[in-house]
């Protein structure tokens, strides 16, 4: 938002004709995933109806984003559904309001977007007759942002489920097969002080508790810095690195995170096999990537001026999408099981 509280249209518009699927560079930034090649296939440049964002997403899905074929197939189908909806909207010869109503009332608005934001927009559309009035309304712009960010969170939920099923036996050994994994690290408002929690800090404290049975304080993770410093860097430098992640001054790169997790696993596994190290490193690194991405996403939404209530609604889609992913991938999770 700008200083006077309005959201410029260009800040909220989704580029390249996409409705829910963000342009790939922005998605990869939000989820802290490696950048993909943006080179277009030469034969596609002049092809009729070529949609570069669609092609980039197809390459992402084909390039190992998911382990399980059912996950890839599900998201390919969703991508094609958006493409058909885009063509349907563009074919509308009537007013912009008709196009917006077509979007707002599409199944994808609930299935991929932020349902509560979409419902508010649909109520508003019933009472408005002029396109310009709606385009100037903050609700439309906030809804479009909420939809795009909600899809990013849904995609993250699928990555968590996809990886967890790859290591199902390990989850079962720890009794976590009935949990909505990582849900407790989602951003939420503290009821006592009205402030957002810090998922990165919460996860670092969690790691510190794993390696230190008697941490000095419940919210202290200085033991991580000392443990990590055994790799050859001084404790103060490691503390600065952890604090930069906690405060959001720096995003966590894959190589540095892997170094931290190796230090943690050296302590936990105490000379375990290389296979155990590799398996657990991936789980810890992916978990931290998810947590750090959620913290970054929440800060970005706050900086855009999105209301706290709507931010909470966006993160609320994680749970329902986690259940959907578990069902599609053949490991349905009952609501009563997740409460254990």
């Amino acid at each position: 938002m700008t200083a006077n509280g309005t959201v410029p249209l260009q800040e909220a518009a989704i580029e390249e004709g996409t409705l829910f699927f963000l342009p790939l560079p922005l998605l990869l930034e939000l989820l802290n995933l490696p950048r993909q090649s943006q080179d277009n296939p030469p034969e596609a440049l002049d092809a009729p109806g070529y949609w570069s964002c669609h092609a980039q997403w197809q390459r992402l899905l084909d390039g190992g984003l998911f382990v399980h074929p059912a996950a890839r197939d599900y998201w390919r189908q969703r991508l094609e559904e958006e493409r058909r909806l885009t063509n349907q909207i563009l074919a509308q010869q009537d007013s912009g309001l008709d196009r917006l109503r077509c979007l707002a009332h599409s199944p994808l608005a609930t299935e991929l977007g932020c349902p509560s934001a979409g419902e508010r927009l649909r109520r508003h559309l019933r009472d408005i007759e002029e396109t310009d009035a709606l385009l100037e309304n903050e609700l439309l712009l906030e809804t479009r942002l909420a939809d795009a960010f909600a899809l990013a969170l849904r995609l993250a939920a699928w990555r968590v489920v996809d990886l967890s099923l790859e290591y199902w036996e390990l989850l079962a050994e720890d009794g976590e097969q009935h949990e909505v994994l990582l849900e407790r690290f989602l951003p939420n408002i503290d009821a006592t002080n009205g402030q957002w929690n810090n998922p990165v800090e919460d996860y670092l404290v969690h790691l510190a508790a794993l390696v230190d049975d008697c941490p000095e304080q419940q919210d202290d993770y200085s033991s991580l810095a000392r443990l990590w410093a055994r790799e050859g860097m001084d404790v103060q430098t490691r503390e600065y690195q952890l604090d930069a992640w906690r405060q959001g001054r720096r995003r966590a790169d894959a190589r540095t995170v892997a170094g931290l997790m190796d230090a943690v696993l050296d302590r936990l596994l105490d000379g375990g096999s290389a296979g155990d190290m590799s398996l657990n490193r991936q789980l810890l690194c992916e978990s931290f990537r998810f947590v750090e991405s959620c913290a970054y996403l929440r800060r970005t939404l706050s900086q855009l001026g999105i209301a706290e209530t709507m931010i909470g609604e966006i993160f609320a889609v994680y749970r329902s999408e986690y259940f959907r992913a578990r069902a599609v991938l053949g490991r349905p999770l009952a609501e009563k099981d997740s409460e254990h």
Side-chain angles (χ1 to χ4, degrees):
M1 285 191 178
T2 57
N4 63 5
T6 61
V7 183
L9 181 61
Q10 62 268 24
E11 287 188 13
I14 306 305
E15 301 174 10
E16 300 180 4
T18 61
L19 301 174
F20 300 99
F21 288 82
L22 283 167
L24 209 50
L26 180 54
L27 175 89
L28 298 176
E29 178 184 354
L30 288 174
L31 300 183
N32 204 11
L33 294 169
R35 290 274 177 168
Q36 305 288 313
S37 171
Q38 299 301 308
D39 296 333
N40 294 320
E43 66 275 8
L45 293 177
D46 298 323
Y50 177 71
W51 178 23
S52 62
C53 186
H54 181 272
Q56 292 166 10
W57 267 90
Q58 285 183 319
R59 291 199 294 273
L60 178 66
L61 294 173
D62 293 338
L65 181 66
F66 297 114
V67 174
H68 295 85
R72 294 195 294 271
D73 292 343
Y74 176 88
W75 283 97
R76 287 193 191 105
Q77 177 185 344
R78 308 264 75 179
L79 187 62
E80 289 305 315
E81 289 170 355
E82 180 181 270
R83 182 176 186 136
R84 290 194 293 270
L85 178 60
T86 300
N87 291 334
Q88 180 183 350
I89 290 173
L90 293 176
Q92 294 274 349
Q93 298 299 318
D94 299 320
S95 69
L97 270 178
D98 290 329
R99 293 185 175 187
L100 288 170
R101 289 187 175 112
C102 182
L103 169 63
H105 288 279
S106 70
L108 294 186
T110 298
E111 296 166 7
L112 293 183
C114 180
S116 52
E119 181 55 36
R120 284 193 292 271
L121 179 60
R122 286 187 288 274
R123 289 199 300 267
H124 189 72
L125 282 168
R126 289 197 294 265
D127 302 325
I128 198 165
E129 297 179 357
E130 296 181 6
T131 304
D132 288 346
L134 180 58
L135 290 176
E136 294 172 0
N137 191 293
E138 201 169 285
L139 176 61
L140 169 63
L141 308 179
E142 289 184 340
T143 301
R144 299 304 298 127
L145 282 171
D147 284 344
F149 278 63
L151 184 136
L153 197 66
R154 293 180 189 278
L155 190 75
W158 277 77
R159 279 181 59 86
V160 172
V161 172
D162 184 65
L163 181 63
S164 70
L165 299 190
E166 188 72 2
Y167 303 114
W168 184 257
E169 292 183 3
L170 183 62
L171 284 179
E173 288 177 4
D174 294 338
E176 297 179 318
Q177 72 273 29
H178 300 305
E179 294 184 13
V180 179
L181 297 176
L182 301 179
E183 184 180 34
R184 66 189 180 103
F185 296 110
L186 289 176
N188 60 78
I189 295 286
D190 189 321
T192 59
N193 58 25
Q195 300 296 314
W196 286 100
N197 69 323
N198 188 327
V200 173
E201 182 175 46
D202 293 344
Y203 194 79
L204 292 176
V205 170
H206 166 70
L207 285 179
L210 289 178
V211 299
D212 188 351
D213 293 333
C214 299
E216 297 173 5
Q217 300 178 20
Q218 187 175 358
D219 60 351
D220 179 41
Y221 50 84
S222 59
S223 58
L224 281 182
R226 294 193 295 270
L227 182 64
W228 196 9
R230 295 178 186 177
E231 294 182 348
M233 193 170 291
D234 63 89
V235 175
Q236 186 176 5
T237 299
R238 291 309 192 190
E239 287 179 341
Y240 179 84
Q241 177 77 69
L242 293 174
D243 201 52
W245 291 345
R246 182 183 67 84
Q247 296 186 27
R249 299 197 311 268
R250 182 183 306 168
R251 299 214 65 184
D253 65 274
R255 185 179 64 84
T256 309
V257 172
L260 170 62
M261 300 312 170
D262 282 343
V264 169
L265 290 171
D266 280 340
R267 168 69 63 84
L268 293 178
L269 298 180
D270 192 22
S273 69
D276 288 340
M277 284 285 290
S278 177
L279 183 153
N280 283 279
R281 181 193 298 114
Q282 183 180 16
L283 291 175
L284 287 179
C285 288
E286 288 283 346
S287 296
F288 186 79
R289 185 199 302 277
F290 170 84
V291 170
E292 190 271 346
S293 295
C294 285
Y296 178 74
L297 194 155
R298 201 282 302 166
R299 289 196 304 272
T300 301
L301 286 166
S302 293
Q303 290 164 5
L304 287 170
I306 301 302
E308 291 180 348
T309 300
M310 186 174 288
I311 295 176
E313 292 169 353
I314 292 171
F315 282 102
V317 308
Y318 176 81
R319 182 179 182 85
S320 61
E321 197 66 33
Y322 190 97
F323 274 75
R324 178 182 296 169
R326 284 282 296 262
V328 171
L329 294 180
R331 296 280 187 175
L333 180 64
E335 185 73 35
K336 57 182 178 62
D337 290 336
S338 70
E339 297 173 354
H340 288 173

